[in-house]
Amino acid sequence: MTHLTRFLALSATLFGLVACATAPAPAPLADTLDRDPQLSTFNRLVEQAGLKEELRAAGPLTVFAPSNEAFKALPAATLDKLSQDKEQLKAVLHLHMLASKLPAAEVKNSSPKSLQGSALALARAGEFVTVEDAVVQRADIGATNGVAHVIDRVLLPAKK
């Protein structure tokens, strides 16, 4: 084996190890979203509502996950109330989920039903995607059981 051949073989091996070390293994939505520090409030509330296993299930699911900044924009009393009412918290979180995989490029002006049961107004203009009055800040976070999009607002069910 020549020095060049050995060098190329070693380089390929090292590149493979580096590529494996830097790319997280494919995981379900619960684990994929849990890795994102910008979604720590969402992840804490998913845990509190008992929805982790639902986000690990086979899917397919689409999750519109509000960022930490979106939760900070809520009145503190609203977040406290949700934290104390598990059923209401589940309803709010289910409002952010669809029972299908919907990448941003496939969003059309439509109103699919959320897992909570309400229709969500979705729209897309070029790369710009909205869900209700929230804007998708980061799209197409892939997972083994669906896709997630980070949004800039928390969606709340209509008051009855």
Side-chain angles (χ1 to χ4, degrees), residues 49-154:
L51 296 178
K52 279 278 191 201
E53 288 311 309
E54 190 171 323
L55 291 179
R56 283 190 181 110
L61 292 170
T62 297
V63 176
F64 297 100
S67 66
N68 290 344
E69 291 300 313
F71 281 105
K72 284 180 188 171
L74 276 181
T78 302
L79 196 52
D80 288 344
K81 190 174 177 181
L82 284 175
S83 293
Q84 294 172 16
D85 184 344
K86 189 173 179 177
E87 289 309 308
Q88 184 64 22
L89 179 57
K90 273 186 181 180
V92 167
L93 293 173
H94 275 150
L95 183 61
H96 293 79
M97 301 176 195
L98 302 176
S100 61
K101 183 177 179 181
L102 187 62
E106 294 178 20
V107 170
K108 295 176 176 50
N109 295 351
S110 62
S111 298
K113 266 196 194 237
S114 70
L115 293 183
Q116 182 261 356
S118 297
L120 289 179
L122 300 180
R124 182 172 62 109
E127 299 297 311
F128 188 73
V129 176
T130 60
V131 52
E132 295 295 323
D133 61 348
V135 176
V136 172
Q137 296 177 313
R138 196 163 24 113
D140 299 328
I141 300 167
T144 57
N145 60 342
V147 66
H149 310 287
V150 177
I151 58 175
D152 67 348
R153 298 208 172 154
V154 177

